[in-house]
Amino acid sequence: MADGKNLQGSAIDAQRRTFLQQAGAAALGSAVAGSFPALAWSKTANSFTGAALPAADMDAITAEITKRHDESLKRMQDWIRQPSIAAENRGMNEGCELMMNMLKDAGFSGVTKMPTDGQPGVFATFDVGAPRSLGVYYMYDVKQVDPSEWVSPPFDAALADRPGLGKVVIGRGAVNQKGPESTFLAALHAIRGAGKKLPVNLVFVAEGEEEIGSPHFPQVVRKPEVLAALKKCDGVFMPYASQGLAGDVTLFLGAKGVVELELISSGEKWGRGPKHDVHSSTKAELDSPAWHLVEALASLVSPDGNDPAIPGYTDKVLPLSDVDKKMIAVAAQRLKESDAKKQLGVDHWVHDVGWQQAIELLVSRPTINIEGLVGGYTGVGGKTILPGKAVAKLDLRLVPDMTAAGALEALKNHLAAKGFGDIEVHMSGGYDPTSTAADSKIIRVSAEVYRKNGIDPVMMPRLAGSWPGYVFTGEPLKLPAGHFGLGHGNGAHAPNEYYLIESENPKVKGMDGAIASHVEFLYAMA
């Protein structure tokens, strides 16, 4: 998932008023029209107005979290140690079964494996007879790994000390998403262990194909029994490690959509060039499928590679609203440009734009990105061949009101019109963008819990990365959806991915603090 944390890691300006005050009623809607009372944190009562969480109860739950620290860590490590890579069909059945057992242990009932045309999903409920219900989204798959790039084996879930950070667990899926998901399950164990009752009913849905574009997740959500349960929910959330290195939090009101695909150029399909690899001396008399692919790729974007050049591709793009621009202006003031550049390892933004415009582009620009190029010989030394086939892996990032289907159709039409109709287009997964209103309950509750913990969240129109929230925010459910959770981690999709267990910085929560934040969130949602 969830690969858009590149604006985090900057310090909070403690002297500023809260973001909601800065943006004003124009940014958030006037007093939310009384749809439900705004939550307020009472320092004396140590509870949210309207949420039944007396100080003594929270103290009991906190003590249970501390008591169960080793148990919670082991649960997280056991899950990380189980490979579950959908792209390689590696460990998927075992990963799904392990997650289902973890759900049962946490108190969920009716834990059901939901068959799809790909990897199975999972549906479960935790009904305590509460007046309100909350949807929970999980993914149990992770990205591929190259063990040679890691400081410790990626499925060892090794503990390590990071200077200036604290004790971390290193492993594929540590932050994306098994670490945050484990903290949420630990919160349920702590509440029950303290003899307390969940304040909301939970409706759980999971998939095993998020990292390959969620091609079959709608088959899970749109089953009648799942739709019926989700329709009772106030919203759907995904556990998340939201904190940057300085303890800051960025709260996103949606995410870009995505299309993942391959373009395949071959002499066999083209009818020109070799049908298999031949000696490179024959280039003088033969066409090259590899150069054919390069020409096709170049036609998709502007000469500098930065702007989509496919006719019709951006026709449905909604421009940023005044509210969006106000959010971005505040974010540009509060987030440090130098920290973002350092984290990304860059010296310049595209077109050498300034910091605020870079953020605007990040949240509002559709993209066409080359993930990888494969063709011919790429080993040590030369091999002097003319490849008969070349492949490009692309991802297309989409913004409202684009659709995955529309983007794919525009791409295919463009290739055909430019004389590249022979190039095969294989979409492996993808989905539409997602948006949630700033005045929705799930967003406001998230912001209030962060503030209760001394964090004034930066609000952004959308995450530059993607997750399949559209199945919840779109038809027929039209539910608000978002991410929540204190805690820190980094390295999603990269070597040495980690999740923070014990923090050296009091402003950044370790595992136990992240668990406690989920407890607070559930009670606030009640």
Side-chain angles (χ1 to χ4, degrees), residues 23-57:
L28 293 175
S30 56
V32 299
S35 57
F36 53 85
L39 293 170
W41 183 260
S42 168
K43 292 183 179 179
T44 55
N46 193 38
S47 65
F48 286 99
T49 302
L53 183 59
D57 287 1

Coordinates of all heavy atoms in Angstrom, one line a residue, residues 23-57:
A23 N -7.4 26.8 8.9 CA -8.1 26.7 7.7 C -9.5 27.3 7.8 O -10.0 27.8 6.8 CB -8.3 25.2 7.3
G24 N -10.1 27.3 9.0 CA -11.3 28.0 9.2 C -12.5 27.3 8.7 O -12.4 26.2 8.1
A25 N -13.6 27.9 8.8 CA -14.9 27.2 8.4 C -14.9 26.9 6.9 O -15.6 26.0 6.5 CB -16.1 28.1 8.8
A26 N -14.2 27.7 6.1 CA -14.2 27.5 4.7 C -13.6 26.1 4.4 O -14.0 25.5 3.4 CB -13.4 28.6 4.0
A27 N -12.6 25.7 5.2 CA -11.9 24.5 4.9 C -12.7 23.3 5.4 O -12.5 22.2 4.9 CB -10.5 24.5 5.5
L28 N -13.4 23.4 6.4 CA -14.0 22.3 7.1 C -15.5 22.3 7.1 O -16.1 21.3 7.6 CB -13.5 22.2 8.5 CG -12.0 21.9 8.7 CD1 -11.6 22.0 10.1 CD2 -11.7 20.6 8.1
G29 N -16.1 23.3 6.5 CA -17.6 23.3 6.6 C -18.0 24.0 7.9 O -17.4 23.9 8.9
S30 N -19.1 24.7 7.8 CA -19.5 25.5 8.9 C -20.1 24.6 10.0 O -21.3 24.2 9.9 CB -20.5 26.6 8.5 OG -21.6 26.0 7.9
A31 N -19.4 24.4 11.1 CA -19.8 23.7 12.3 C -20.4 22.4 12.0 O -21.2 21.9 12.8 CB -20.8 24.6 13.0
V32 N -20.1 21.8 10.9 CA -20.5 20.5 10.4 C -22.0 20.3 10.5 O -22.5 19.1 10.6 CB -19.8 19.4 11.2 CG1 -18.3 19.4 11.0 CG2 -20.1 19.4 12.7
A33 N -22.7 21.3 10.4 CA -24.2 21.3 10.3 C -24.9 20.4 11.3 O -26.0 19.9 11.2 CB -24.5 20.7 8.9
G34 N -24.2 20.3 12.5 CA -24.9 19.6 13.6 C -25.1 18.1 13.4 O -26.0 17.5 14.0
S35 N -24.4 17.5 12.4 CA -24.7 16.1 12.2 C -24.3 15.2 13.4 O -24.9 14.2 13.6 CB -23.9 15.6 11.0 OG -22.5 15.8 11.1
F36 N -23.3 15.6 14.1 CA -23.0 15.0 15.4 C -22.1 16.0 16.2 O -21.5 16.8 15.6 CB -22.3 13.6 15.3 CG -21.1 13.7 14.4 CD1 -19.8 14.1 14.9 CD2 -21.2 13.4 13.1 CE1 -18.7 14.1 14.1 CE2 -20.0 13.4 12.2 CZ -18.8 13.8 12.8
P37 N -22.2 16.0 17.5 CA -21.4 17.0 18.3 C -19.9 16.8 18.1 O -19.4 15.7 18.0 CB -21.9 16.7 19.7 CG -22.3 15.2 19.7 CD -22.9 15.0 18.4
A38 N -19.2 17.9 18.0 CA -17.8 17.9 17.9 C -17.3 17.3 19.2 O -17.7 17.6 20.3 CB -17.2 19.3 17.8
L39 N -16.3 16.4 19.1 CA -15.6 15.8 20.3 C -14.7 16.8 21.0 O -14.1 17.6 20.3 CB -14.8 14.6 19.9 CG -15.6 13.4 19.3 CD1 -14.7 12.4 18.7 CD2 -16.4 12.8 20.4
A40 N -14.7 16.7 22.2 CA -13.8 17.6 23.0 C -13.1 16.8 24.1 O -13.7 15.9 24.7 CB -14.5 18.7 23.7
W41 N -11.8 17.0 24.3 CA -11.1 16.2 25.3 C -11.1 16.9 26.6 O -10.8 18.1 26.7 CB -9.6 16.0 24.8 CG -8.9 15.2 25.8 CD1 -8.0 15.6 26.7 CD2 -8.9 13.7 25.9 NE1 -7.5 14.5 27.4 CE2 -8.1 13.4 26.9 CE3 -9.6 12.7 25.2 CZ2 -7.9 12.0 27.3 CZ3 -9.5 11.4 25.6 CH2 -8.6 11.1 26.6
S42 N -11.5 16.3 27.6 CA -11.5 16.8 29.0 C -10.3 16.3 29.8 O -10.2 15.1 30.0 CB -12.8 16.4 29.7 OG -12.7 16.7 31.1
K43 N -9.4 17.2 30.1 CA -8.2 16.8 30.8 C -8.5 16.4 32.2 O -7.9 15.5 32.8 CB -7.2 18.0 30.9 CG -6.6 18.3 29.5 CD -5.6 19.5 29.6 CE -5.0 19.8 28.3 NZ -4.0 20.9 28.4
T44 N -9.6 16.9 32.8 CA -9.9 16.6 34.2 C -10.6 15.2 34.2 O -10.3 14.4 35.0 CB -10.9 17.6 34.8 OG1 -12.0 17.8 33.9 CG2 -10.1 19.0 34.9
A45 N -11.5 14.9 33.2 CA -12.2 13.6 33.2 C -11.4 12.6 32.4 O -11.7 11.4 32.5 CB -13.6 13.8 32.6
N46 N -10.3 13.0 31.7 CA -9.5 12.1 30.9 C -10.4 11.3 30.0 O -10.2 10.1 29.8 CB -8.7 11.2 31.8 CG -7.7 10.4 31.0 OD1 -7.0 11.0 30.1 ND2 -7.4 9.2 31.3
S47 N -11.4 11.9 29.3 CA -12.2 11.2 28.4 C -12.8 12.2 27.3 O -12.8 13.4 27.5 CB -13.4 10.6 29.1 OG -14.2 11.5 29.7
F48 N -13.3 11.6 26.3 CA -14.0 12.4 25.2 C -15.4 12.7 25.7 O -16.0 11.8 26.2 CB -14.0 11.7 23.9 CG -12.6 11.7 23.2 CD1 -11.8 10.6 23.3 CD2 -12.2 12.8 22.5 CE1 -10.6 10.6 22.6 CE2 -11.0 12.8 21.9 CZ -10.2 11.7 21.9
T49 N -15.9 13.9 25.4 CA -17.3 14.1 25.6 C -18.1 13.1 24.8 O -17.9 13.0 23.6 CB -17.6 15.6 25.1 OG1 -16.8 16.5 25.9 CG2 -19.1 15.9 25.4
G50 N -19.0 12.5 25.5 CA -19.9 11.5 24.8 C -19.3 10.1 24.7 O -19.9 9.3 24.1
A51 N -18.0 9.9 25.1 CA -17.4 8.6 25.1 C -17.2 8.1 26.4 O -16.6 8.7 27.3 CB -16.1 8.7 24.3
A52 N -17.7 6.8 26.7 CA -17.6 6.3 28.0 C -16.3 5.7 28.3 O -16.1 4.5 28.2 CB -18.7 5.2 28.1
L53 N -15.3 6.5 28.6 CA -14.0 6.0 28.9 C -13.4 6.8 30.1 O -12.6 7.7 30.0 CB -13.0 6.3 27.7 CG -11.6 5.8 27.9 CD1 -11.6 4.3 28.1 CD2 -10.8 6.1 26.6
P54 N -14.0 6.4 31.3 CA -13.5 7.1 32.5 C -12.0 6.8 32.7 O -11.4 5.9 32.2 CB -14.3 6.4 33.6 CG -15.5 5.8 32.9 CD -15.0 5.5 31.6
A55 N -11.4 7.7 33.5 CA -9.9 7.6 33.7 C -9.5 6.3 34.3 O -8.5 5.7 33.9 CB -9.5 8.7 34.6
A56 N -10.3 5.7 35.2 CA -10.0 4.5 35.8 C -10.0 3.3 34.8 O -9.1 2.4 34.8 CB -11.0 4.1 37.0
D57 N -10.9 3.4 33.8 CA -11.0 2.4 32.8 C -9.8 2.4 31.9 O -9.2 1.4 31.5 CB -12.2 2.5 32.0 CG -13.5 2.1 32.7 OD1 -13.3 1.7 33.9 OD2 -14.6 2.1 32.2

